[in-house]
Amino acid sequence: MSKKFLTDVIVEATGMPASRAGVLAADIIGAIRDEIIDTGRFTLPEFGSFAVRETKARTALNPRTGEQVKVKAGATVKFKASPNLKQDALAGLKKAKRKAARA
């Protein structure tokens, strides 16, 4: 999903001009970002949740040279899909496989 996709959905749903819809999409994305920064989490019911997780320092392998490299501790944002989203995605995957098998 992109900002343009959100803008197009807003324009289609509301009929507002694309320039205003683009600003609204940017504001929505900014609000989600700010919530993740402030609280470390953001949840959209029926969709899923984003949460900040700390990562430990570790040793990894450079894929080109095979040399061991130290990776610093840090943080990342993880996404966990809601059960409804998982169920719908699985149903869509099964439908696509059946459609492909018929073709």
Side-chain angles (χ1 to χ4, degrees):
M1 183 180 341
S2 64
K3 180 181 163 190
K4 181 172 179 355
F5 175 80
L6 285 177
T7 301
D8 293 343
V9 169
I10 293 168
V11 167
E12 190 174 312
T14 65
M16 77 170 51
S19 60
R20 289 188 63 212
V23 171
L24 179 59
D27 290 345
I28 291 169
I29 293 167
I32 292 169
R33 183 179 182 274
D34 291 345
E35 184 68 15
I36 291 171
I37 290 169
D38 291 344
T39 65
R41 225 173 143 89
F42 179 78
T43 301
L44 280 172
E46 304 296 321
F47 185 71
S49 62
F50 298 88
V52 176
R53 306 284 167 122
E54 291 184 17
T55 57
K56 296 179 181 179
R58 61 186 172 86
T59 303
L61 290 178
N62 180 329
R64 288 189 182 182
T65 63
E67 176 185 359
Q68 289 190 344
V69 180
K70 291 185 180 182
V71 179
K72 296 179 183 177
T76 188
V77 178
K78 299 281 186 166
F79 175 74
K80 182 178 179 186
S82 73
N84 291 340
L85 179 61
K86 288 180 185 179
Q87 182 180 9
D88 293 345
L90 181 60
L93 180 64
K94 287 180 179 178
K95 183 177 179 181
K97 283 184 179 179
R98 285 194 308 266
K99 189 175 181 180
R102 281 189 246 149

